[in-house]
């Protein structure tokens, strides 16, 4: 251990995101104090964004293997076998903090980064999806962030020529200062072999290819691993600047280069730029890399090693080539108008050695930067935090009484129709057409189901040899997360995220295959934050095991917190976004969510509408014992629902528990019905429950529905089931499907055999003029509303709020 004087002040060390004890460990490993460049290298590589020092122990519990998994966690993207010689690469990444500071470029470069993860594997990008979270849309700041992020995504995706085919957008005050921008990409392998990132071959040349290096994006990885403050908003150098047209050339050049067989390994220069790519390639290959910064094409004068090493300039890659074939690769990149230089060599000693102006600017063991990084196994709370325990004590008994007419809130009667209209106009539920109409979702001509038309995106799989196939096949993809569920119960909420993602794929007829996840959480250094993270990881793991959807990789984004004016941290809702892909064997056997034909039968799969007998109230101790024991109670819930949050301004209760046995059976029934040609439309019930799902099917198909709930308005008073629970309660593994008259006998026979009593015929699809009619068995009309009245609210909710913002 060196006794030399520390050349850095505590403030300088902290500014690199390094804790005092971590700096001590750096000195121990090096046997000396680091220089400025080396300190910066450790700062970015030991950040949470790069090394997952708080989350890695939790990620080990995820299932990562399966019969279709070709590449799991640890590479640039996961890869699954989808048959007929085709392989699908897919991955999700976050660009949260950059988007909070500079929404357009933050979101745009998020798209560019995830695309590079895909084509670095040797896959051609075929689709993009995104999962977005913002604050209250009535807030001008939120509107600025929202419009900027959407513009950035559309700009990059449209220009680079990859369709944005699906996604989700939610609005909640919890994200006011810290929006979430998660982007998922899919790609079809074009190379004979999957391109890996581990360097190999002592003496092989290391090539820098793509764009030039500047000072943009300096220290972006460290920036992404700290809470947002007022000072963060001025940290624009940490936000990268992208060029989608250059990236398009980079895609073509890389795929052409990979097909030559001259490339040994490849790595995208994303977070931490040259530092990350050199150290990860060396560490994964068990070798070293010597790299000369003087060879790097720079776009700015006077750059020093610290700036070269920490720059996150976009559209750059690092290759290891077979010795003697480097010029072949350089010629390819030059032909595409891109930079390409031999900047380094693979060496035997497992270190990263950086040269600058003929001298060693940095020399660090590769393993110390990329593999043997700090690891924090934090102590889990012995019991759930007080906020959760308080929320779990909530029951629907605290709500005003209601009947078949409606509910009195604040001294005013609101009919169920009024409440439906309010929910349809809530930005999180309302149509996202304002968003996806800005995206080119049909470029490449493979998008089968358009955004807004189905529960998941469906993309045609074109065989690489372009030979005709008897049954065209497709891949389905979705991104999902109900973060209110996860906030109120991270374990159950995370299980529900996986279940909903699989349900959405099943609703288009796809067999769920595998998962990529994006864990967006607050600070793990705080007991509640770590409890949320650990509990959610446990729930995700269980959900993926239950539904046989292994995790192939993903992203962890922690420290999503904003300090208010008083210096108090305000964390986001815990938001573990699940991106899931599924396989469709025959594109002629898929369906969307909208009704197809008047007269078709409407069926509810999953827990049917039912009246529960009254139960004596439990004492507080019994409630807590029941919750602690985790009793298996599967029912429709108002707790954690959109109805409770929007109409009653209450975030409380527990999310509905997931019955995985019922989920598997319901989802299989839906898929079988679609493949048999019986089911013409399918849509899962999610936020807003059964009634909102019915309305969405009407709006999507531009047809009405006549629905009988199968319960009596007169007898309802004799049971403890509430009408708002029947209409707007959530959970129950539910899917709404429509079936033609000619197939209903076969369909119902199938349901009796496979679902038992867990289905219900609700009514029939009606013509446009009928609208949505919901009634009881004693013919009491609960809801009667026209398609036009629903559409005026649903379709215009977001645009009208933005118009008000534009006029102020």
């Amino acid at each position: 251990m060196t006794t030399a004087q520390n050349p850095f002040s505590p403030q300088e060390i902290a500014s690199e995101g390094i804790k005092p004890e971590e700096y001590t460990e750096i000195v121990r490993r090096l046997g000396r104090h680091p220089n400025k460049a080396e300190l910066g290298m450790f700062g970015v590589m030991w950040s949470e964004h790069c090394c997952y020092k708080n989350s890695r122990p939790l990620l080990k519990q995820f299932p990562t293997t399966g019969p279709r998994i070709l590449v799991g966690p640890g590479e640039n993207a996961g890869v699954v076998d989808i048959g007929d010689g085709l392989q699908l690469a897919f991955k999700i990444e976050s660009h949260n903090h950059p988007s909070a500071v500079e929404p357009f470029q933050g979101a745009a470069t998020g798209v560019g980064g995830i695309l590079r993860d895909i084509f670095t594997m040797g896959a051609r990008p075929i689709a993009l999806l995104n999962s977005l979270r913002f604050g209250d849309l009535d807030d001008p700041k939120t509107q600025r962030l929202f419009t900027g992020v959407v513009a950035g995504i559309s700009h990059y995706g449209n220009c680079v020529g990859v369709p944005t085919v699906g996604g989700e957008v939610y609005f909640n005050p919890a994200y006011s200062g810290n929006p979430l921008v998660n982007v998922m990409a899919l790609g079809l392998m074009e190379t004979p072999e999957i391109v890996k990132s581990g360097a190999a071959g002592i003496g092989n040349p290391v090539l820098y290819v793509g764009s030039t290096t500047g000072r943009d994006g300096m220290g972006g990885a460290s920036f992404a691993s700290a809470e947002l403050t007022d000072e963060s908003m001025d940290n624009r150098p940490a936000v990268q600047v992208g060029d989608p047209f250059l990236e398009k050339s980079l895609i073509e050049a890389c795929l052409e280069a990979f097909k030559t067989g001259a490339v040994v390994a490849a790595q995208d220069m994303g977070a931490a730029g040259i530092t990350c790519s050199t150290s990860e390639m060396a560490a994964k290959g068990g070798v070293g890399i010597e790299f000369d910064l003087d060879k790097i094409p720079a776009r700015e004068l006077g750059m020093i090693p610290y700036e070269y090493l920490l720059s996150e300039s976009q559209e750059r890659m690092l290759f290891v080539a077979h010795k003697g074939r480097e010029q072949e690769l350089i010629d390819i990149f030059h032909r595409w108008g891109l930079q390409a230089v031999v900047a380094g060599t693979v060496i035997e000693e497992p270190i990263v050695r950086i040269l600058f102006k003929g001298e060693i600017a940095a020399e660090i063991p590769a393993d110390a930067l990329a593999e043997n990084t700090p690891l924090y196994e934090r102590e889990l709370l012995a019991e759930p935090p007080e906020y959760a325990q308080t929320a779990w004590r909530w029951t629907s008994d605290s709500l005003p009484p209601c009947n078949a007419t409606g509910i009195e809130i604040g001294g005013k009667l609101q009919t169920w129709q009024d409440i439906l209209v309010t929910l349809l106009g809530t930005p999180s539920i309302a149509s996202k057409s304002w968003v996806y109409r800005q995206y080119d979702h049909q470029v490449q001509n493979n998008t089968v189901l358009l955004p807004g038309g189905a529960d998941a995106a469906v993309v045609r799989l074109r065989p690489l040899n372009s030979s005709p196939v008897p049954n065209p096949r497709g891949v389905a993809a979705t991104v999902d997360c109900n973060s209110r569920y996860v906030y109120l119960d991270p374990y159950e909420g995370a299980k529900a995220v996986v279940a909903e993602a699989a349900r959405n794929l099943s609703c288009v007829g796809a067999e769920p295959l595998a998962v990529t996840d994006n864990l967006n959480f607050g600070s793990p250094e705080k007991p509640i934050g770590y409890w949320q993270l650990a509990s959610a990881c446990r729930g995700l793991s269980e959900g993926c095991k239950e539904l046989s959807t292994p995790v192939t990789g993903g992203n962890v984004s922690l420290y999503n917190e904003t300090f208010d004016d008083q210096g108090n941290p305000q964390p986001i809702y815990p938001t573990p976004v699940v991106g899931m892909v599924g396989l469709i064997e025959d594109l002629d056997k898929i369906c969307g969510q909208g009704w197809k034909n008047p007269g078709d039968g409407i069926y509810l799969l999953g827990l049917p509408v039912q009246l529960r007998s009254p139960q004596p109230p439990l004492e507080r101790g019994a409630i807590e014992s029941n919750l602690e024991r985790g009793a298996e109670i599967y029912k429709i819930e108002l707790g954690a629902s959109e109805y409770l949050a929007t109409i009653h301004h209450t975030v409380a209760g527990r999310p509905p528990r997931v019955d995985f046995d019922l989920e598997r059976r319901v989802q299989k029934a839906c898929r079988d019905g679609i493949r048999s040609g019986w089911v013409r439309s399918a849509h899962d019930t999610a936020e807003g429950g059964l009634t909102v799902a019915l309305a969405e099917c009407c709006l999507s198909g531009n047809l009405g529905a006549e629905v009988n709930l199968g319960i009596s308005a007169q007898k309802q008073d004799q049971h403890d089931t509430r009408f708002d629970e029947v209409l707007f309660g959530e959970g129950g593994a539910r899917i709404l499907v429509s079936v033609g008259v000619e197939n209903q006998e076969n369909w119902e026979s199938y349901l009796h055999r496979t679902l038992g009593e867990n289905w219900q015929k609700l009514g029939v699809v009606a013509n446009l003029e009928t609208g949505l009619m919901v009634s009881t068995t004693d013919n009491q009309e609960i809801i009667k509303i026209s398609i036009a009245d629903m559409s005026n609210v649903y379709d215009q909710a977001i645009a009208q709020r933005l118009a008000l913002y534009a006029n102020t």
Side-chain angles (χ1 to χ4, degrees):
M1 174 68 71
T2 182
T3 58
Q5 184 177 357
N6 189 341
F8 303 107
S9 68
Q11 292 77 17
E12 288 175 306
I13 294 170
S15 69
E16 300 292 346
I18 296 173
K19 302 178 186 300
E21 61 272 22
E22 291 175 345
Y23 183 81
T24 301
E25 177 63 15
I26 290 169
V27 173
R28 187 192 70 78
R29 294 192 188 189
L30 294 178
R32 58 178 172 79
H33 289 284
N35 61 35
K36 176 66 173 175
E38 292 168 332
L39 184 68
M41 294 171 76
F42 275 108
V44 291
M45 292 305 294
W46 284 15
S47 68
E48 180 65 37
H49 190 77
C50 286
C51 80
Y52 295 174
K53 55 190 173 186
N54 290 286
S55 52
R56 216 179 331 152
L58 302 173
L59 304 180
K60 293 178 181 177
Q61 63 190 300
F62 289 172
T64 58
T65 59
R68 290 187 180 269
I69 306 301
L70 299 176
V71 176
E75 286 292 340
N76 287 292
V79 182
V80 293
D81 182 354
I82 49 177
D84 290 348
L86 298 180
Q87 300 166 339
L88 184 76
F90 66 105
K91 176 81 176 295
I92 193 168
E93 280 276 3
S94 65
H95 236 220
N96 301 335
H97 287 184
S99 299
V101 174
E102 215 305 302
F104 181 91
Q105 287 295 349
T109 52
V111 174
I114 193 62
L115 289 175
R116 287 193 298 280
D117 283 338
I118 298 301
F119 68 78
T120 301
M121 303 293 293
R124 178 173 295 278
I126 61 171
L128 288 161
L129 298 91
N130 50 70
S131 174
L132 310 177
R133 299 289 190 289
F134 301 94
D136 186 343
L137 190 53
D138 290 322
D139 180 354
K141 177 184 176 182
T142 294
Q143 296 182 341
R144 178 183 64 83
L145 292 172
F146 172 52
T147 54
V149 164
V150 171
I153 291 172
S154 65
H155 166 72
Y156 207 103
N158 295 355
C159 292
V160 82
V162 179
T164 301
V165 296
E168 59 172 5
V169 187
Y170 286 90
F171 301 90
N172 188 287
Y175 303 97
S176 290
N178 196 136
L180 300 185
V181 178
N182 295 178
V183 186
M184 178 180 174
L186 288 71
L188 208 54
M189 293 298 302
E190 276 199 2
T191 57
E193 302 292 333
I194 297 171
V195 181
K196 300 290 186 68
S197 58
I202 307 305
N204 274 340
V206 177
L207 276 68
Y208 168 110
V209 302
S211 185
T212 54
T213 294
R215 292 185 174 93
D216 54 315
M218 290 289 302
S222 298
F223 171 63
S225 303
E227 298 89 343
L228 287 170
T229 64
D230 289 339
E231 289 73 25
S232 301
M233 298 304 146
D234 297 324
N235 200 0
R236 293 181 184 271
V239 180
Q240 308 89 338
V241 178
D243 182 344
F245 299 105
L246 195 151
E247 176 124 339
K248 173 61 176 171
S249 295
L250 189 60
I251 293 173
E252 302 302 334
C254 284
L255 293 178
E256 183 179 340
F258 294 151
K259 291 173 186 176
T260 66
V263 179
V264 176
Q267 177 70 45
D268 157 45
M269 284 193 210
I274 291 172
T275 296
C276 184
S277 55
T278 52
S279 59
E280 285 193 350
M281 293 183 82
K284 287 179 181 177
V287 294
I289 287 180
E290 185 175 273
F291 199 77
D292 190 347
L293 298 179
D294 293 326
K295 304 289 181 63
I296 302 306
R299 70 177 66 139
E300 299 183 52
L301 297 175
M303 291 182 66
I304 60 175
Y306 178 89
E307 294 170 326
Y308 275 108
L309 292 165
L310 271 62
S311 167
E312 293 185 10
S313 295
Q314 297 291 285
E315 294 90 35
R316 303 178 302 158
M317 310 273 287
L318 209 62
F319 282 9
V320 173
H322 287 290
K323 192 171 185 179
R325 301 191 67 182
E326 52 267 45
Q327 191 59 47
E328 182 181 349
L329 297 176
I330 290 171
D331 290 343
I332 290 173
F333 283 89
H334 285 175
R335 190 163 63 249
W336 284 99
L338 300 169
Q339 303 285 340
V341 296
V342 175
T345 308
V346 176
I347 59 177
E348 185 173 0
E349 188 179 1
I351 61 171
V352 174
R353 180 182 296 132
I354 303 297
L355 306 178
F356 183 69
K357 296 190 183 302
E359 298 182 354
I360 296 176
E363 190 171 81
I364 303 175
D367 192 59
L369 289 173
E371 298 292 339
N372 187 20
T373 56
L375 207 60
Y376 297 117
E377 299 206 29
R378 302 188 182 277
E379 186 175 346
L380 193 61
L381 289 174
E383 60 180 21
E386 181 58 33
Y387 90 85
Q389 295 193 44
T390 300
W392 295 350
R393 295 188 192 106
W394 178 91
T395 69
S396 58
D397 294 338
S398 61
L399 295 176
C402 63
N403 55 35
T405 303
I407 186 170
E408 190 171 294
I409 300 175
K412 180 182 178 182
L413 176 67
Q414 290 200 36
T415 67
W416 300 125
Q417 184 166 310
D418 294 334
I419 287 173
L420 172 61
V421 169
T422 300
L423 289 173
L424 290 176
T426 302
S428 290
I429 288 179
S431 168
K432 306 306 183 298
S433 59
W434 184 91
V435 176
Y436 60 72
R437 282 178 179 170
Q438 299 184 50
Y439 303 151
D440 187 341
H441 43 261
Q442 291 180 294
V443 65
Q444 298 188 14
N445 200 31
N446 288 321
T447 308
V448 181
L449 291 177
L450 303 183
D455 285 21
V458 176
V459 178
R460 182 183 297 104
L461 292 172
R462 290 187 186 270
L464 298 180
N465 57 13
S466 299
S467 60
V469 290
N471 293 319
R473 303 164 73 241
V475 62
T478 185
V479 285
D480 288 287
C481 182
N482 186 320
S483 57
R484 189 187 301 115
Y485 282 14
V486 185
Y487 168 71
L488 289 168
D489 189 333
Y491 172 65
E492 283 296 334
K495 290 197 295 184
V497 172
V498 181
E500 183 180 0
R503 206 179 316 126
N504 283 335
L505 295 181
S506 296
C507 282
V508 298
E511 186 83 34
L513 295 183
V515 159
T516 178
D517 61 73
N518 207 133
L519 306 180
N520 307 274
F521 287 79
S523 172
E525 299 175 36
K526 294 163 186 165
I528 291 178
Y530 188 72
W531 173 78
Q532 292 174 337
L533 176 63
S535 302
C537 285
R538 187 165 60 93
L540 287 176
S541 175
E542 182 173 333
C544 291
K545 290 173 183 174
E546 288 279 359
L547 296 176
S548 301
T549 52
V551 177
T552 63
N555 175 251
V556 179
S557 175
L558 305 184
Y559 300 96
N560 286 288
E561 299 188 349
T562 310
F563 286 99
D564 61 21
D565 294 338
Q566 285 73 45
N568 300 313
Q570 303 296 320
I572 62 165
Y573 278 173
T575 312
V577 174
V578 163
M580 189 179 289
V581 296
L583 182 62
I584 297 173
E585 291 290 356
D586 186 350
L587 283 176
D588 292 331
K589 302 292 177 64
I590 60 174
C591 69
Q593 66 183 26
W595 310 133
K596 294 301 180 184
N597 299 304
D600 288 354
I602 298 173
Y603 293 82
L604 175 64
L605 311 184
L607 289 184
V609 177
Q610 56 189 341
L611 297 177
R612 297 195 311 272
S613 299
Q615 300 293 324
L618 295 175
E619 298 294 331
R620 172 171 173 166
I623 291 175
E624 292 174 341
S625 173
N626 205 28
L627 295 175
E628 188 71 27
R629 189 168 62 249
E632 298 294 326
I633 303 171
Y634 304 118
K635 61 188 181 71
I636 303 303
E637 297 278 4
L638 284 179
S641 68
E642 188 71 32
Y643 164 80
L644 187 63
T646 299
I647 304 301
H648 297 280
H649 309 292
T650 300
V651 177
R654 283 189 107 162
R657 297 180 65 87
V658 179
D659 181 345
F660 280 111
D661 176 65
L662 183 59
E663 282 284 356
R664 285 188 291 267
R665 290 190 291 131
V666 164
Q667 292 182 30
K668 184 177 187 302
C670 183
R671 294 193 301 269
D672 287 350
I674 294 171
R675 293 167 186 171
S676 299
W678 301 332
V679 170
R680 290 177 169 169
S681 71
H683 182 37
D684 83 318
T685 70
E687 292 87 355
L690 174 62
T691 309
V692 166
L694 286 165
E696 290 171 337
C697 293
C698 291
L699 291 164
S700 185
N702 205 31
L703 289 170
E706 296 179 6
V707 171
N708 191 303
L709 294 173
I711 60 173
S712 166
Q714 306 301 320
K715 293 183 179 180
Q716 187 266 344
D717 294 334
Q718 304 168 23
H719 297 77
D720 69 348
T721 301
R722 299 170 52 94
F723 261 101
D724 48 7
E725 186 176 277
V726 169
L727 295 170
F728 305 109
E730 298 172 10
R734 286 172 153 185
I735 297 176
L736 279 172
V737 302
S738 63
V739 177
V741 175
E742 69 280 7
N743 292 314
Q744 289 180 20
E745 183 177 347
N746 288 335
W747 173 240
E748 291 181 11
S749 174
Y750 171 86
L751 293 180
H752 279 298
R753 295 194 310 272
T754 57
L755 294 185
E757 297 181 351
N758 289 306
W759 66 278
Q760 178 179 359
K761 186 173 183 182
L762 289 179
V764 296
V765 177
N767 57 35
L768 174 65
E769 291 71 26
T770 302
L772 175 60
M773 296 176 56
V774 180
S775 60
T776 61
T777 53
D778 42 3
N779 297 319
Q780 181 154 352
E781 194 173 87
I782 298 175
I783 292 173
K784 179 174 172 54
I785 184 170
S786 71
I787 303 297
D789 286 345
M790 290 192 292
S791 179
N792 287 340
V793 174
Y794 182 77
D795 291 336
Q796 300 301 319
I798 290 177
Q800 286 178 350
R801 284 171 170 82
L802 296 177
L804 289 173
Y805 163 66
N807 292 329
T808 57

